[in-house]
Amino acid sequence: MVAAGRGNPLASRLIHRAHAENGWHLYAPACALVEADRARPGTAEHLAALPAVIVLELDLAAALAVAAGTTWGRDHCRYAATPTPERPDGALIATVDPGRWKDEPVRLIDLTA
């Protein structure tokens, strides 16, 4: 999210594609959105205003997953990437730090390529 706020071209392409193509969705886990805004003020308001971005609330299932982890933003992202009835295929995590997710059971989009 911070990468998008800093003008990362691959993040910008993802946002554009989600806006332009049916069936594409970008999820912003609320906890990750808060962390991004703390790192780069204004990020949360900007991303939440985009029609292609769906903010994922911290519901009970997500809260329990976050509580079992060590970092709110990362654990909420991991939960969002896990298959659920609402997202049967789960979701991919777009990141500029793929090493951060090493050994995690998640699928990534590397925004540094």
Side-chain angles (χ1 to χ4, degrees):
M1 293 181 203
V2 173
R6 291 186 175 145
N8 178 289
L10 294 177
S12 296
R13 286 182 194 159
L14 275 176
I15 292 167
H16 172 74
R17 191 158 193 184
H19 179 74
E21 292 192 28
N22 289 333
W24 275 70
H25 305 284
L26 295 177
Y27 300 108
C31 294
L33 199 57
V34 169
E35 286 188 9
D37 201 70
R38 287 180 177 162
R40 185 172 172 82
T43 299
E45 185 176 355
H46 176 73
L47 290 176
L50 296 172
V53 175
I54 299 167
V55 176
L56 297 178
E57 297 178 4
L58 187 65
D59 60 14
L60 178 59
L64 293 173
V66 168
T70 57
T71 62
W72 286 57
R74 179 180 165 160
D75 293 323
H76 200 183
C77 286
R78 184 184 312 110
Y79 172 78
T82 304
T84 65
E86 295 82 23
R87 293 177 309 281
D89 294 326
L92 284 80
I93 297 174
T95 181
V96 294
D97 186 7
R100 181 180 186 193
W101 297 97
K102 184 180 179 197
D103 300 325
E104 294 285 346
V106 296
R107 297 174 297 152
L108 301 177
I109 297 173
D110 185 349
L111 296 177
T112 63

